[in-house]
Amino acid sequence: MKTPRSFVAALARTRLDSVFNPYAEACPEHDRADAPALRRRNLEAWLEAALVARVDTIWIARDLGYRGGRRTGLPLTDEVHLKDAGTLLGGIEFHRATRGPVVAERTAAIVWRMLTAIAEPAVLWNVFPLHPHGAGDPLSNRCHTRTEREATAPLLRGLIAIFRPRRIVAIGRDAQLALEGLDIPVTGVRHPSYGGQADFIAGIAALYGVDPERPSASPQLPLDHAASAGLALA
């Protein structure tokens, strides 16, 4: 797992019970037939662009959500913010992998509000990089188990090895506990769900020294970052 392509390939090979792997599986109700390939392409393009841009911070939450990364392939990113994600990394065109109306996720909306405010990209990830769901209820969210986390731990280590981040931001107490023991500084902020929105916004604003009430209108890396990576421009 030395490159984004080999990393995404390893991620797509992961199989666990009561876990949806959006990089290998398609939802018969909501996905396009080529959804797994589109999500792999989205994630690989995101990681390649972040690598070229020398992004040195990773924001890590707990699991993929069924309204966000399960659909887009981009952690902490819903379909509403796919264009924002592309703009932040220099004009990449990400593709929807689903049919029907665009779906929003509250956590993604708050995360992208703050990424817009700081006008600085971060690699977005989850301790458990797939979507764990209740048995027989694929469109539900649940916390991953310790066994599931351990099964995917090599992927987290692989991502850290690729980016060699200067700093990791743990989003939520669960993520912070799971990241203990890393030899990289980990700063914890409250997760924006379950009443934590104001604390999350304040935590990120303090960490980056920005005014959370006045987000930047159009955060963007120089276009040559995307061009030099050979990525499609919107």
Side-chain angles (χ1 to χ4, degrees):
M1 293 186 289
K2 295 182 179 180
T3 66
R5 176 165 295 183
S6 62
F7 176 84
V8 172
L11 179 62
R13 290 193 296 268
T14 304
R15 297 289 191 279
L16 295 165
D17 291 337
S18 294
V19 170
F20 182 83
N21 184 333
Y23 310 101
E25 300 177 68
C27 171
E29 184 176 354
H30 299 292
D31 280 350
R32 293 174 40 167
D34 58 347
L38 289 173
R39 287 189 284 254
R40 290 195 302 271
R41 194 179 309 161
N42 282 349
L43 181 58
E44 184 178 335
W46 168 269
L47 296 177
E48 287 282 7
L51 197 59
V52 169
R54 295 183 174 86
V55 176
D56 64 1
T57 299
I58 306 179
W59 291 12
I60 303 180
R62 194 185 71 188
D63 318 289
L64 278 186
Y66 79 92
R67 297 178 65 90
R70 172 187 166 116
R71 295 173 67 92
T72 65
L74 300 181
L76 296 167
T77 305
D78 59 9
E79 291 168 339
V80 173
H81 293 90
L82 277 179
K83 185 174 181 180
D84 292 330
T87 299
L88 187 62
L89 282 170
I92 302 170
E93 183 180 5
F94 293 118
H95 298 280
R96 277 193 65 193
T98 57
R99 305 185 302 266
V102 167
V103 172
E105 181 189 68
R106 179 177 294 275
T107 293
I110 301 167
V111 165
W112 278 96
R113 169 182 170 178
M114 295 313 297
L115 283 169
T116 300
I118 65 177
E120 179 181 323
V123 176
L124 304 179
W125 200 245
N126 291 284
V127 170
F128 186 69
L130 305 175
H131 172 233
H133 57 79
D137 188 6
L139 297 182
S140 64
N141 289 327
R142 67 169 172 85
C143 180
H144 67 267
T145 66
R146 180 174 180 176
T147 298
E148 290 167 341
R149 181 171 71 247
E150 290 174 348
T152 56
L155 291 164
L156 178 60
R157 292 195 295 269
L159 186 77
I160 291 172
I162 289 171
F163 283 94
R164 301 182 182 276
R166 173 178 58 88
R167 175 175 62 189
I168 290 175
V169 178
I171 301 176
R173 182 65 174 162
D174 289 339
Q176 189 170 4
L177 289 173
L179 295 170
E180 287 182 348
L182 294 178
D183 57 358
I184 299 167
V186 176
T187 301
V189 295
R190 187 169 176 182
H191 196 283
S193 64
Y194 303 109
Q197 175 175 333
D199 288 343
F200 171 79
I201 290 171
I204 293 295
L207 190 60
Y208 284 86
V210 300
D211 179 355
E213 300 304 321
R214 300 183 63 183
S216 169
S218 57
Q220 184 171 349
L221 288 177
L223 286 175
D224 58 359
H225 283 309
S228 63
L231 303 173
L233 299 180

